[in-house]
Amino acid sequence: QNIRVIMISSMTINTSRRLANPISLRIASKRALTGSTSKIDISHYEGKWSVYGDIEGYTPEKFQIKTYNKISSKGLEVFPGNSYDIRSQDVDAQNARAILIRSYKIKEEEVPLTCRAIARCGAGTNNVPVPRMTELGIPVFNTPGANANAVKELVLCGLFLGSRKIVDGINHMKELGNQGIAKERVEKDKAMFGGREIKDKTLGVIGLGHIGASTARDAMRLGMNLCGYDPGLSVSTALKLPRSLDLVDSITAVCSKADYISLNVPYIKGSPEEGGTHGVISKEVIAHMKSDAVLLNFARGELVDSVALKEHLDGGGKYISDFPDDLLFDHPNAIIIPHLGASTEEAEDAAAAMAAGTIRDFLENGTINNSVNFPTTLLADRPKNAVRVTVVNKNVPGMLASVTGAFSEMKLNILQQINTSRGSIAYNVIDLELPEDKKDDVVSFKNLQEKITMIDGVLSTAILFGEPGKGYARNVEGEYFV
């Protein structure tokens, strides 16, 4: 018995004409809101009225979703086929309401004005112009933890690769095999590839999120001692860490104690002095490492100063990395893996399903979860006989008063509201009571939608009701688009 309305301060749709009636609803009775047998009128883009009989017999349009890279088909099954139109990279999708990507580096010009959200099937979002999307009012989502197990397993593999000369031994055996002398030489030559055990050695974990914490737990089960550092450690994550883990107060403290160092921090442009993480494993940090310490990098290649690390490798240290390195790729003490961390069928399925579910919850309900640029907004169920409005606007004083004032002028009662903000963006969810005396009349949101959309600082509005993908309007440089 509800009408759902979403208002968002963002970009506008890619259309050249202004529409007369973006959304108007005729409520013939309360039963019309249930989608049962009552009639409901919805204005279309031409500004005309169309009357549909049984709403259940009406075939709605679909949310158009654009995908880049090969997104797991199992994950995309989260989108119901009757209300979503999934289009791959090589298929035109000029009216896409959301974009799903993996490693594809999305450019602003590839984001249509209809786009309301971008989701990456993975944790990092350095392939998305997040600051610009924030300016446009477009939330960017990621999938933290979806690939954590896959990456963790490869980190553990890296522990063994850095302890035993397995790769060198495999290559040597291939050479002996080609010469036909492998059986005669194997016992004699195996002494060339001696190593050490990881039991009772110390693993230092830099970054104790999903992957770091999981790595620490499994390393403990393998008999390793643990130390770790994470300045942003949350209480909930801390409770999941092994009790034996020694939390220290700096990266250098980790490096001075550890035989193996697992790097698990996000890449942020800029030096550590500027608040970024570029080159966070610097010459000064490397100087604190033990001479034979093994650095495991399954986070991002740009986190490490390769020139400084080369000196460490020349002195007997080792480097296991999941990222290409133009300087260290052929160093005898480096093993470079072709970015296989999340390349498992299970991880790809989980990340795609998580991203699709996040997008669906946002488009259909206005929920914001796992966004890197918008405030988390977990919504209560919408009250019966209510209209839900969400508003995304610039986070400046007076915006909420301007928006709620527009509702007041229409004599609409607010049942509940949430106001959240993050940096320069504010997100509001407002549930409006549908007037009882209007149940047999046309309840039009046309003027209200345009009025709120065109408030200085509001970027877009949307009404979620009936046909998926319709009822969305944006303010683009003072122009009203629907």
Side-chain angles (χ1 to χ4, degrees):
Q1 297 181 350
N2 307 321
I3 302 174
R4 183 157 298 176
V5 182
I6 291 190
M7 296 184 138
I8 305 174
S9 306
S10 338
M11 260 172 80
T12 52
I13 329 182
N14 186 13
T15 180
S16 60
R17 55 181 175 175
R18 177 167 173 156
L19 308 181
N21 293 302
I23 288 288
S24 296
L25 305 176
R26 173 181 176 84
I27 311 302
S29 71
K30 288 185 179 179
R31 294 184 65 195
L33 296 176
T34 69
S36 59
T37 58
S38 300
K39 292 185 177 181
I40 170 172
D41 292 340
I42 302 176
S43 67
H44 279 219
Y45 289 109
E46 298 80 10
K48 299 176 182 178
W49 290 86
S50 294
V51 179
Y52 300 97
D54 184 354
I55 191 66
E56 292 180 348
Y58 170 58
T59 302
E61 293 193 5
K62 299 181 178 182
F63 289 112
Q64 191 178 101
I65 307 296
K66 178 75 169 181
T67 65
Y68 289 89
N69 306 120
K70 185 179 179 181
I71 307 296
S72 162
S73 58
K74 180 176 288 188
L76 292 177
E77 290 175 0
V78 171
F79 292 121
N82 63 343
S83 55
Y84 284 84
D85 174 17
I86 311 302
R87 303 196 177 191
S88 60
Q89 184 172 345
D90 56 350
V91 178
D92 179 68
Q94 294 184 8
N95 296 315
R97 295 299 183 182
I99 294 173
L100 262 66
I101 61 173
R102 287 176 59 199
S103 58
Y104 185 82
K105 192 174 182 64
I106 194 79
K107 303 179 183 65
E108 180 183 349
E109 56 267 27
E110 294 173 310
V111 180
L113 292 174
T114 55
C115 182
R116 296 176 54 193
I118 297 174
R120 180 176 182 258
C121 303
T125 54
N126 56 310
N127 54 334
V128 181
V130 176
R132 180 56 179 156
M133 293 303 102
T134 304
E135 292 176 358
L136 299 173
I138 298 176
V140 178
F141 300 98
N142 65 351
T143 58
N147 61 6
N149 186 70
V151 177
K152 182 259 324 242
E153 288 184 359
L154 201 58
V155 174
L156 296 177
C157 176
L159 278 173
F160 297 113
L161 291 175
S163 302
R164 313 286 286 271
K165 296 181 179 179
I166 298 170
V167 174
D168 293 338
I170 291 172
N171 291 334
H172 184 68
M173 289 303 294
K174 287 182 177 179
E175 292 178 5
L176 296 180
N178 288 333
Q179 299 173 39
I181 56 174
K183 291 183 178 180
E184 304 99 84
R185 294 279 298 273
V186 63
E187 292 300 323
K188 178 182 179 180
D189 289 2
K190 69 180 183 182
M192 301 165 53
F193 308 105
R196 65 183 183 186
E197 298 179 15
I198 65 172
K199 186 176 183 294
D200 295 326
K201 303 300 189 298
T202 297
L203 171 66
V205 183
I206 301 172
L208 293 164
H210 293 284
I211 297 169
S214 182
T215 299
R217 289 192 295 270
D218 282 4
M220 178 193 67
R221 297 185 183 105
L222 291 170
M224 300 191 76
N225 303 313
L226 302 171
C227 65
Y229 171 71
D230 190 332
L233 184 65
S234 67
V235 173
S236 60
T237 301
L239 292 173
K240 298 176 184 178
L241 296 175
R243 292 185 178 182
S244 61
L245 186 144
D246 179 19
L247 280 173
V248 297
D249 60 3
S250 67
I251 292 177
T252 54
V254 171
C255 293
S256 64
K257 294 169 67 72
D259 302 297
Y260 300 83
I261 301 159
S262 179
L263 188 57
N264 308 283
V265 299
Y267 176 71
I268 302 172
K269 287 185 178 180
S271 66
E273 294 76 19
E274 299 169 330
T277 57
H278 187 93
V280 67
I281 304 301
S282 62
K283 183 176 182 179
E284 292 74 21
V285 170
I286 294 170
H288 288 80
M289 292 182 183
K290 297 180 180 181
S291 61
D292 60 349
V294 179
L295 178 62
L296 308 165
N297 181 8
F298 291 84
R300 279 292 179 268
E302 296 88 347
L303 298 170
V304 177
D305 182 340
S306 297
V307 174
L309 187 61
K310 184 178 183 301
E311 295 183 19
H312 175 68
L313 302 188
D314 291 342
K318 292 186 178 180
Y319 183 46
I320 316 298
S321 175
D322 201 25
F323 305 94
D325 192 303
D326 292 339
L327 179 62
L328 304 175
F329 73 96
D330 62 347
H331 196 286
N333 285 341
I335 297 176
I336 307 300
I337 302 169
H339 200 188
L340 299 180
S343 295
T344 68
E345 183 178 347
E346 295 87 347
E348 291 179 7
D349 289 347
M354 188 174 181
T358 300
I359 286 292
R360 185 180 173 189
D361 205 10
F362 172 67
L363 292 178
E364 296 180 17
N365 303 311
T367 302
I368 291 183
N369 194 20
N370 295 326
S371 174
V372 300
N373 63 337
F374 269 52
T376 297
T377 310
L378 305 179
L379 310 173
D381 290 340
R382 193 180 48 209
K384 291 183 178 181
N385 199 34
V387 175
R388 172 159 289 176
V389 179
T390 71
V391 181
V392 178
N393 53 269
K394 295 178 181 178
N395 189 19
V396 295
M399 289 301 306
L400 184 58
S402 298
V403 172
T404 55
F407 298 135
S408 181
E409 291 178 13
M410 293 284 291
K411 298 182 179 181
L412 294 170
N413 182 43
I414 296 176
L415 296 175
Q416 62 180 2
Q417 69 181 67
I418 300 172
N419 172 250
T420 57
S421 64
R422 181 173 179 175
S424 61
I425 283 290
Y427 187 68
N428 306 276
V429 181
I430 303 164
D431 288 338
L432 304 172
E433 183 179 24
L434 187 65
E436 182 68 20
D437 60 353
K438 294 286 188 180
K439 67 179 182 179
D440 291 321
D441 298 326
V442 172
V443 180
S444 174
F445 290 95
K446 170 185 177 295
N447 295 331
L448 177 63
Q449 184 178 29
E450 182 171 356
K451 182 180 180 66
I452 294 178
T453 304
M454 299 312 295
I455 293 174
D456 186 24
V458 171
L459 303 174
S460 73
T461 63
I463 300 175
L464 300 187
F465 182 85
E467 297 173 285
K470 287 193 175 182
Y472 183 52
R474 285 181 166 179
N475 182 340
V476 179
E477 299 179 354
E479 293 292 329
Y480 180 62
F481 291 89
V482 292

